[in-house]
Amino acid sequence: MSGNALIMYETSSDGITLRAALAGELDLADADEVRDNLAAAAQASQCRFLQVDVSRVDLIDSYALGALISARNTAAAAGVTLTLIHPSPPVAKAIAVTGLSAAFGLGG
C-alpha cells in the first residue's frame, strides 16, 4: 500500500474462508487500493467467505467505507460473502453512524 494501510491474507484450514487483516489508517489515500485488493482476492479465491478483520484500523473515513461497500459488492458478484469482523472503536462508530452494520454482516 502506498500510504498507511496494510492488508494481509490467510486461508482457513478448511479452505472455505479467506481472512484479510487490515491495519493502520484507511482513508482517501489508500481506499481505492484496498478496495481493488479485496475485490481481486475475492474473485481469485476458491473460498466462499472473505472475512475482513478491522480490529487494527485506527481511522476510517466515508470514502473508505464506500470502498469497502464496493469490494463487498464485487465479492458478492463472484459468489463470495464479504463481512467485517472485530471492528475497532473508530470502525464501529463509523459503521453505526452510517447504518451499514447489516451490509457488513455485523447485525442490526
Side-chain angles (χ1 to χ4, degrees), residues 44-78:
S45 176
Q46 297 300 313
C47 295
R48 299 291 46 146
F49 301 98
L50 174 53
Q51 294 179 337
V52 182
D53 183 336
V54 288
S55 62
R56 295 181 53 212
V57 173
D58 302 320
L59 176 139
I60 190 164
D61 68 8
S62 60
Y63 191 85
L65 280 174
L68 290 175
I69 285 290
S70 180
R72 176 192 163 272
N73 294 343
T74 301

Side-chain angles (χ1 to χ4, degrees), residues 4-96:
N4 293 319
L6 173 67
I7 188 167
M8 297 179 348
Y9 292 97
E10 73 176 12
T11 304
S12 64
S13 59
D14 62 10
I16 295 173
T17 303
L18 178 62
R19 292 188 183 100
L22 283 173
E25 296 181 357
L26 185 53
D27 58 15
L28 179 62
D30 289 313
D32 290 341
E33 192 172 350
V34 168
R35 177 200 62 219
D36 295 347
N37 195 300
L38 290 171
Q43 292 173 318
S45 176
Q46 297 300 313
C47 295
R48 299 291 46 146
F49 301 98
L50 174 53
Q51 294 179 337
V52 182
D53 183 336
V54 288
S55 62
R56 295 181 53 212
V57 173
D58 302 320
L59 176 139
I60 190 164
D61 68 8
S62 60
Y63 191 85
L65 280 174
L68 290 175
I69 285 290
S70 180
R72 176 192 163 272
N73 294 343
T74 301
V80 176
T81 301
L82 185 153
T83 56
L84 299 183
I85 59 171
H86 311 300
S88 66
V91 173
K93 182 177 179 180
I95 289 171

